[in-house]
Amino acid sequence: MLPMGSLADAAAELAATFRGQLLQPADAGYEAARRVHNGLVDKRPALIARCLGVADVAAAIDLTRRLGLELAVRGGGHNVAGRAMVDGGVVADLSLMKGIRVDVQRGTAWAQGGVTWGELDRETQLHGLAVTGGVVSSTGIAGLTLGGGIGWLMGKHGLALDNLLSVELVTAEGQVLQASRQQEPELFWALRGGGGNFGVATGFEYALHPVGPAITGGLVVHPISCARTLLEFFRDSTRQLPDEHMLFATLAHAPDGSGMPVAALVTCHCGPLEEAEKAVLPLRQFAPPLLDAVGPMPYTQLNGMLDAGYPKGALNYWKSNFLTELSDAAIATMIDCFARCPTPMGQLLLEHFHGAVTRVDVSDTAFPHRSEGYNFLVLGQWTQPADTGACIAWTRETYARMRPFFAAGRYVNYLDDDEADDPVAAAYGPNYRRLQQIKGRYDPANFFRMNQNIRPQP
Ligand SMILES: Cc1cc2nc3c(=O)[nH]c(=O)nc-3n(C[C@H](O)[C@H](O)[C@H](O)COP(=O)(O)OP(=O)(O)OC[C@H]3O[C@@H](n4cnc5c(N)ncnc54)[C@H](O)[C@@H]3O)c2cc1C
């Protein structure tokens, strides 16, 4: 255990040059700064370094190494496993680093590591441009992009990480590197899926695409009694979707707060409005819905539409896996499991992959999941601590019952960290060995280990 004096001395020395804020447990602002999206995460870092620039990040890394402490890195703070915080260690908190620059001529955006999707979309949409981003606006661009980046534009434009042009990274040695296809190409490969394993990403450069400003999207909600018909309709519809059209399905609870269980389709069509209108027509015609909220809307509105369903501070426990196919048996099991859901904020979600995201070779980026199909997510979410046991048990039971339908591979950004097997190795499949070698080159001592950790290999 480190004597607190040495941390206080080191922090005081750092404060002379640090531009951001250095927060220790007794400081005002510490309590708010240690809270992340998931209210279950209750860690108490020894120091939270709220960085304002690349030099602050390098200084936080240096201090952590000198004191022999553990470092966690916080972008948007949405990681459900709570890897953005660490007990007794140092947090490099980038959430004050909000710089964004859109280059309309080149069709690119550069953004700092503390930016959220809502913030980036706002700046890019000013010019009618966008890049694939998360479906909840408060999610950080950093963690989401480094792990993958599932979003409404991925059928047309691939994952968030497929649109990365370069990353600015501070390594464990405090070196500032630019990684792109031309510079540090192996590192750039690893950063596109390998998460926070290689350093602290301070800047991201994305390719942008013309999007909207109005696209077509929204929710179609049906009674839970229609769940089987809706999931079968979803399965049939996803066999022939154009790249522009994304479709997710969910068993959830009514968005009006009544707690009524429902079956719903969530959709986005980013093509011309007349084409989109025709494409979404079957979604509202296959059975009379309780609510039809699909229509033209600003892209920024679509990316904030689900925010209220995932409030900051709610308690979360998630498990997910890709499915080989959506068989009748998988549908029946989902319906049966959802009927036992103990929380009106819990849901089962199917995210369909097709189009551009599946036209990338498995070995082109560290992110390996390039087959057409479904990511299945058990999203345990609740507010009362007394419900924690029941909600975690339901999430685990549902996941276990769905296991017979699972394909190989899991999405690293949805991983929890309480599994006996090595879920990280399973998540990267054929790309894991190469990731281990790159980790061995850039972080051989595994300094960056508060993440979905890749074990370094020579
Ligand atoms: C409500 C909600 C909605 C979500 N929606 C989506 C979605 O639509 N699509 C999707 O793909 N995923 C989604 N996710 C999952 C999301 O991708 C992950 O939770 C991701 O880790 C969030 O990134 P963050 O920066 O907000 O997280 P943080 O918790 O800040 O960071 C997570 C981890 O990423 C790494 N990291 C973060 N910032 C940096 C950095 N600057 N440099 C190096 N490493 C860093 C660290 O290892 C850190 O522990 C969602 C999660 C939530 C809670």
Side-chain angles (χ1 to χ4, degrees):
M1 182 79 183
L2 182 84
M4 283 319 284
S6 42
L7 174 72
D9 292 348
E13 190 188 320
L14 178 60
T17 49
F18 201 78
R19 283 204 299 135
Q21 296 171 309
L22 293 170
L23 299 176
Q24 294 181 63
D27 292 332
Y30 172 87
E31 279 304 317
R34 77 182 185 88
R35 294 288 172 193
V36 289
H37 181 85
N38 183 0
L40 261 195
V41 178
D42 187 20
K43 297 185 186 171
R44 303 192 70 83
L47 179 71
I48 302 176
R50 307 197 80 200
C51 304
L52 268 184
V54 181
D56 280 357
V57 172
I61 290 173
D62 178 59
L63 174 136
T64 311
R65 283 186 57 146
R66 280 194 286 117
L67 296 176
L69 294 176
E70 274 195 298
L71 183 84
V73 185
R74 181 201 171 110
H78 264 218
N79 182 256
V80 168
R83 298 293 171 94
M85 286 290 136
V86 56
D87 272 322
V90 176
V91 177
D93 178 345
L94 275 67
S95 59
L96 300 178
M97 291 177 59
K98 296 289 193 192
I100 301 173
R101 192 176 62 240
V102 177
D103 185 332
V104 180
Q105 298 298 322
R106 290 178 61 226
T108 61
W110 176 89
Q112 285 186 310
V115 167
T116 63
W117 286 107
E119 292 157 353
L120 187 64
D121 290 340
R122 180 166 153 78
E123 296 298 332
T124 58
Q125 278 288 279
L126 190 61
H127 309 284
L129 300 168
V131 60
T132 308
V135 304
V136 171
S137 71
S138 51
T139 309
I141 63 163
L144 184 137
T145 303
L146 293 169
I150 299 173
W152 294 126
L153 302 179
M154 72 180 176
K156 180 77 177 159
H157 301 299
L159 299 163
L161 62 74
D162 293 325
N163 294 282
L164 263 183
L165 298 174
S166 68
V167 178
E168 178 183 71
L169 189 85
V170 187
T171 67
E173 305 291 333
Q175 249 188 311
V176 183
L177 301 178
Q178 304 293 330
S180 66
R181 283 199 167 79
Q182 293 74 34
Q183 291 173 282
E184 308 281 353
E186 272 297 278
L187 177 62
F188 187 57
W189 177 87
L191 288 172
R192 285 174 293 155
N197 273 282
F198 304 94
V200 182
T202 45
F204 296 82
E205 187 187 12
Y206 298 95
L208 301 176
H209 312 277
V211 171
I215 48 80
T216 301
L219 274 168
V220 187
V221 181
H222 289 266
I224 194 68
S225 54
C226 293
R228 189 173 57 78
T229 328
L230 178 135
L231 291 174
E232 286 170 359
F233 170 81
F234 168 71
R235 176 178 61 198
D236 295 344
S237 308
T238 51
R239 289 192 176 125
Q240 55 209 350
L241 290 176
D243 289 0
E244 290 78 7
H245 194 183
M246 292 293 304
L247 193 56
F248 292 174
T250 183
L251 303 183
H253 297 86
D256 61 6
S258 64
M260 180 175 56
V262 295
L265 296 167
V266 197
T267 193
C268 170
H269 192 298
C270 63
L273 293 181
E274 319 75 68
E275 225 173 82
E277 178 62 29
K278 279 191 214 128
V280 298
L281 198 59
L283 309 188
R284 43 171 60 116
Q285 283 186 336
F286 87 98
L290 291 173
L291 170 77
D292 173 0
V294 175
M297 63 175 78
Y299 175 68
T300 46
Q301 185 180 328
L302 182 79
N303 262 10
M305 180 185 73
L306 302 177
D307 289 9
Y310 308 96
K312 183 173 179 187
L315 310 171
N316 280 268
Y317 183 79
W318 297 11
K319 282 199 174 299
S320 89
N321 212 104
F322 288 95
L323 300 182
T324 40
E325 55 166 338
L326 190 54
S327 62
D328 289 346
I331 289 176
T333 307
M334 276 179 70
I335 293 169
D336 192 46
C337 288
F338 185 67
R340 296 157 208 259
C341 179
T343 157
M345 295 169 82
Q347 83 182 93
L348 300 180
L349 179 65
L350 290 163
E351 297 171 313
H352 181 246
F353 273 46
H354 76 292
V357 62
T358 62
R359 289 195 291 267
V360 177
D361 197 83
V362 169
S363 63
D364 280 359
T365 62
F367 179 96
H369 311 293
R370 299 299 186 171
S371 308
E372 203 163 321
Y374 309 92
N375 188 48
F376 168 73
L377 173 63
V378 192
L379 199 153
Q381 187 185 220
W382 62 104
T383 55
Q384 297 305 315
D387 297 336
T388 297
C391 292
I392 290 180
W394 172 75
T395 307
R396 288 183 178 153
E397 276 160 29
T398 302
Y399 187 76
R401 286 197 53 200
M402 288 296 287
R403 208 177 267 280
F405 313 111
F406 288 167
R410 304 176 64 181
Y411 180 31
V412 74
N413 273 354
Y414 291 164
L415 282 185
D416 231 295
D417 53 358
D418 60 348
E419 315 228 356
D421 312 331
D422 185 352
V424 178
Y428 290 113
N431 290 341
Y432 191 59
R433 178 84 190 113
R434 185 170 166 195
L435 277 166
Q436 286 187 294
Q437 287 166 343
I438 301 170
K439 174 84 172 168
R441 198 167 134 207
Y442 287 92
D443 185 23
N446 203 8
F447 175 69
F448 297 109
R449 58 183 176 277
M450 241 330 127
N451 46 39
Q452 305 302 348
N453 197 231
I454 294 163
R455 309 264 181 269
Q457 288 280 313

